[in-house]
Amino acid sequence: MKPASDDFLPPPECPVFEPSWAEFRDPLGYIAKIRPIAEKSGICKIRPPADWQPPFAVEVDNFRFTPRIQRLNELEAQTRVKLNYLDQIAKFWEIQGSSLKIPNVERKILDLYSLNKIVVEEGGYEAICKDRRWARVAQRLNYPSGKNIGSLLRSHYERIIYPYEMFQSGANLVQCNTDPFDSEEKDKEYKPHSIPLRQSVQPSKFSCCSRRAKRLQPEMASYVCRICSRADEDERFLLCDGCNDNYHIFCLLPPLSEVPKGIWKCPKCILAECKRPPEAFGFEQATQEYTLQSFGEMADSFKADYFNMPVHMVPTEVVEKEFWRLVSSIEEDVTVEYGADIHSKEFGSGFPVNNSKWNLSPEEKEYATSGWNLNVMPVLDQSVLCHINADISGMKVPWLYVGMVFSAFCWHIEDHWSYSINYLHWGEPKTWYGVPSLAAEHLEDVMKRLTPELFESQPDLLHQLVTLMNPNTLMSHGVPVVRTNQCAGEFVITFPRAYHSGFNQGYNFAEAVNFCTADWLPVGRQCIEHYRRLRRYCVFSHEELICKMAAFPEKLDLNLAVAVHKEMFIMVQEERRLRKTLLEKGITEAEREAFELLPDDERQCIKCKTTCFLSALACYDCPDGLVCLSHINDLCKCSRSRQYLRYRYTLDELPAMLQKLKTRAESFDNWANKVQAALEVEDGRKRSLEELRALESEAHDRRFPNSDLLQRLKKCLTEAETCISQVLGLISNSEDRLETPQITLTELQILLKQMGTLPCTMHQIDELKDVLQEVETYQIETREALTSLPYSLEILQSLMEKGQQLRVEVPEAHQLEELLEQAKWLDQVKQALAPSGQRHSLVIMKKLLVMGTKVASSPSVNKARAELQELLTIAERWEEKAHLCLEASQKHSPATLEVIIREAENIPVYLPNIQSLKEALTKARAWIADVNEIQNGDHYPCLDDLEGLVAVGRDLPVELEELRQLENQVLTAHSWKEKASKTFLKKNSCYTLLEVLCPCADAGSVSTKRSRWIEKEMGLYKYDTELLGLSAQDLRDPGSLIMAFKEGEEKEKEGILKLRHINSAKPSPMSSPMNASATSICICGQVRAGVEALQCDLCHDWFHGQCVTVPHLLRSLRASHTSSQLLAWWEWDTKFLCPLCMRSRRPRLETILTLLVGLQRLSVRLPEGEALQCLTERAIGWQGRARQALASEDVTALLKQLAKSRQQLQDELRHEQPPTLPSGLESDCLTEDSGKDILKEEEELVLNEDRLKSSEKIVPNENSCERDEELLPSLLSQLTGPVLELPEATRAPLEELMMEGDLLEVTLDENHSIWQLLQAGQNPNLERIHTLLELEKPENPGNWSEEQTPERRRRRRRQKVVLSRKGEEFTQKELEIKRVRSSRIKPKGEKFQEPIHGDNVLLTHHTEHTNILKEHMNSVQGKDTSPSSSFPSLTPLRHLSYFHQQKL
């Protein structure tokens, strides 16, 4: 008996090799080197160098595979035998109508197979019972003694096994119980058979009742009992459910008392079922397809759950013991999945591969060509498989393996007994077991002896890769077994005919391939003979492989050629013998056949399945088959005269091929003799360099091994070529000669001696002797020149050049070089200090002094050094003084700088700081001239010019008196500009002051206007100079600005008319559903049907109440004088201008005139000031036309009628009982005086933003708001209109004036008066009033002010912060432009262009407007000209509440 699986003892470790980089570069050479050691173990492990880490090249996302299913206890041979035996017994009792229940003995399931086997070995049931040896049976089953277990085993044997064995032997069961499991008490000792029946008997298609009913049919009398041959007593007949034979129940042995229930079969059918051989065992494929990720998740989850710990913390020893325990257990049925034999040609290799599909990196290309790449190793030059043209991709192309814990590969050897190599790319280890080739037959014998039942049904079981056997069991029978754990990044090599198996420790990815070397050829031939005896098919023809290599011997590696020659010789001798036998049989017919062109299945021996190549025997009458010459008697029964030989080569061609191989194999010896004679000069004759090169080329072409002799030859050639290269460098006349490094005289003499000792002749040796003669002559000339005084510079220079041409360094050349350096340096110093020469910088002078320190000392050299040092000291002092003037915080006057510059010019050195100081002084004088020119000009300077001058003046290191005056002027101008910005611009406005003051020239473009507004909101649009189509230089010209302003007014009018026409065609978002293709509306650019929206009274576009600020109707009504205001609907504040049309605060004209007065005091021209003058002139012009229109007879009559209507409303309210007004409205009503106070307050708040904000935050209490919301909707039905009948002749001019007034960014009372007239002349806009009331509800998001949406403000602020850096770059760039511009101020005498239009009186010189502005301000402030006094029926300035609401 084998030891228990819990006592599994790991076999010894296999050899492990760690090659160096030099050894690793030749894979097959290294494997051949370790083969004598590793082959003794069958397998070995190789750890590559640490730096060798190939990238994983599989496309992980596209890699999908279907694994195999492995039931672990079916893998082990002895366990499978037990399971098959249990299946047979279970089938036997199932046919008998009983279910098998396996008993438990000593708390363990009883091993029925072992029990039966021991009973047979002990002599059988009767012998054991006779000798009372059941205690011995219990002992052999490893049960403890003294517990009467023997009797218990006998009872179980009699109840379960003995009936089955009797049936197997064919004996009668006289004493057997056919229902051994009926007793309830005995059932407690048994365990139901839970092992899955892999070969279970399927139940009958007919029910038991229908089968038994046959004995009641009339024709039953025709049946007879198969035992007594009688047909009587029909009611006691039994019909077999298997063969339909009839039996009397009392004729059976033992006889039955009654007809059994269920399915019944006769003894003959039971015996046939139990003797049926089991089906061939194999793995089934899983139904689920996996990716690497999904399989890994499944594998890791399985292992973690099984061991109840993280997968990488489970020791390999624990997994190994558990694996062998599971495969040996018949109780535990653990199933795993294994992605085995996945073809890399279809799914891609784990190694990088050179193909056109992928572009490889340099690192990937290195691994793609490495010999250890499993795609490359089978086709290396030393490999045999590269010479096979047939499709054997199963051996030459790698296979991929994706494993999980316990997934196993069973005992097997490779096809054709070839080598195999396995590389673990990543993952947990793979455990291997190996048996050397010498013990292969021993392993096969042990497995056949221990499990003969398996090999009887499957003789080629070990070739199916489906059977394991515990290594301890094999070792106990003398089979040598080794083991190893292959980790990621390691190789495992299996040697020819070495059995190997193993399992995976967890989730991993491996790749394997076969390869064959020269030493495999004899093994391959033995494998073919082994396959011939087993009648197994070959993967390829061994004879064809040998002949293919023999046909081209020059392409073979030398060692491979020697091995092929030996194999070819044996093969030719065997072929001669077989063909001679054929002739002796009387077969003389023969035909040549190109077997390699035939499919393998058409040239296989019908007897042994060998693939034929050299020859085969065929028959003319039986063309479907052929045999190899070893089985000529098994072809057919036809006459020998009808049989003929099919051959590939004649017996004369084969020796010729053998001779070529011999020549190739012996060519190395002949070559080695030639090289030995050449290197040793054995015959006294030196070979030429060309002869030695020819020997090296022969070794390369014939692919001789890298022997020591070849290395000596290469070394000799390298030395000779090096000598020749040095000689050519000395004697060459080309320019490359100067780049050749010099050699000393001693080295020249050694070179000449070395060339003489080399074993080859070189004609350059004579040329080298000539060079040596020239050098000796040069030495003599140099010595004579050095001893003669005084020195001649020309002679020294010529000798120096001559020495450089020789490229040989002589001792006298050093002295000559020192003298030349001294002379050259002194000449450079003389030229640098010459008064008339070009001044050199301090850096050059310092370099010259440094060069002097490297020159050999002499009296003249020392004197020149001292003078140069003194000059540099003085120059550095003045340079430092100039540096202090440039960098000091206290600037010096131009006169002081001029004195410093004048004194420093006497030094004959170029001083950068003095030069910079001189340039700064020149710029300061030019700056002063520019300032004087601007100040004395005919016009005030522009602000940009002054800012540029200030920026330039601040950068100059010169004290400038005029700079402070200019800074004050710029500061004053910025102060006015800031005041104007606060007056016009809303808080956080996205517009600039100039944009607001100028007309909107692109008002007619819907998309441009909206997109530009969004860009301004985001802080992306910053170029206000593009408003009127003017450049920055055009803005400096008042005439251009005036013309552009006038043109902009016209474009603005045309554009707004065009925009009105376009927007009027848009349907209301609240009244009509709009599809996705509708024109966008609002500032958000989105179309949302059913959302409250208002139509702008200027551009007629629609805007969501949630996106813009809308008029507060309730607030305006609370501020009314009397309760009649509720019914005077034409005075309600329902006017709405969108943020695209109303771009500023729109201050009153009086406030603007105050700004113009401040502008007159400035001595600086501003584009914004001139634009403000144009705007004021436009507003005054419009105001005059408006007053003229309002003062006409028709309009005056309409105003009186409107006042009368309002008076009537008041009178009606006095006589009738008025509705009780909300207390909030009564308390909030204002008097006339308070209204005037509010007017004054609002005028002041235009200039004071904080006061305006505090005023706007006054909100009525919640109770008044609720009462207003309840009252106003009830009043809407009482509103009637129109109140006035406006003729078309009166309406059209007023509407045109209304449009032009709305375009002005100025608040004028006449605008509101015209608005009320136009409102009274039409029906009340109930839809707008209803929308405003809905938006004013507290719960409506549209009623939120900007202060109530902090999130929106924070979001906008974040968007603007992103562009802060761009703004800084823009500011820096603008400042630089101003500096440059200041240097291009127009010369004195150039004047500004005079205004073109005579009516633009506000754009003449500032002083000319003083009287006009004062006069107009007085007229505006006078009581007799105010709109309220001229038109008493109108509510004064009530419309201002809406404009102030839109300050943000």
Side-chain angles (χ1 to χ4, degrees), residues 92-130:
F92 168 77
W93 287 113
E94 182 181 357
I95 295 173
Q96 295 290 330
S98 300
S99 297
L100 173 63
K101 297 179 182 178
I102 303 176
N104 286 323
V105 178
E106 288 295 311
R107 300 180 181 177
K108 292 192 302 183
I109 188 172
L110 178 60
D111 188 348
L112 298 179
Y113 172 79
S114 300
L115 175 61
N116 178 62
K117 188 175 182 181
I118 291 174
V119 169
V120 173
E121 291 175 356
E122 292 291 332
Y125 170 75
E126 290 81 3
I128 296 175
C129 291
K130 180 179 179 181

Side-chain angles (χ1 to χ4, degrees), residues 489-505:
E490 295 179 344
F491 290 97
V492 168
I493 307 289
T494 68
F495 288 83
R497 209 188 180 185
Y499 271 98
H500 52 278
S501 66
F503 66 94
N504 296 292
Q505 294 274 345

Side-chain angles (χ1 to χ4, degrees), residues 942-949 1032 1036 1165 1167 1374 1378 1381:
C942 293
L943 178 59
D944 289 350
D945 295 338
L946 291 185
E947 288 178 338
L949 284 172
R1036 302 157 63 90
R1165 287 183 57 247
E1374 183 180 21
K1378 289 180 179 180
R1381 189 186 302 151

Side-chain angles (χ1 to χ4, degrees), residues 80-81 84 113 168 274-281 444 447-462 467:
R80 193 189 306 164
V81 170
N84 290 342
Y113 172 79
Q168 292 284 76
C274 295
K275 286 185 175 294
R276 181 184 300 171
E279 297 178 0
F281 179 75
E444 295 171 359
M447 293 188 69
K448 290 177 181 178
R449 185 168 67 252
L450 294 179
T451 56
E453 300 89 345
L454 298 181
F455 287 89
E456 288 175 2
S457 59
Q458 286 182 271
D460 60 343
L461 181 64
L462 289 176
T467 306

Side-chain angles (χ1 to χ4, degrees), residues 822-891:
Q822 291 177 358
K824 290 180 180 179
W825 186 79
L826 290 171
D827 186 60
Q828 290 178 359
V829 173
K830 183 179 179 182
Q831 293 179 3
L833 300 180
S836 59
Q838 180 183 2
R839 292 189 178 187
H840 298 281
S841 65
L842 278 175
V843 177
I844 296 177
M845 301 299 281
K846 288 180 180 179
K847 288 183 179 178
L848 191 59
L849 182 59
V850 173
M851 290 172 57
T853 59
K854 298 178 182 179
V855 175
S857 298
S858 68
S860 57
V861 170
N862 293 338
K863 181 180 179 182
R865 287 177 188 165
E867 293 177 356
L868 192 59
Q869 182 64 53
E870 182 180 4
L871 178 63
L872 286 175
T873 302
I874 296 172
E876 287 177 350
R877 288 177 183 174
W878 280 104
E879 187 72 356
E880 181 66 23
K881 185 180 293 186
H883 178 72
L884 292 176
C885 293
L886 292 171
E887 300 295 334
S889 58
Q890 184 177 1
K891 300 180 180 180

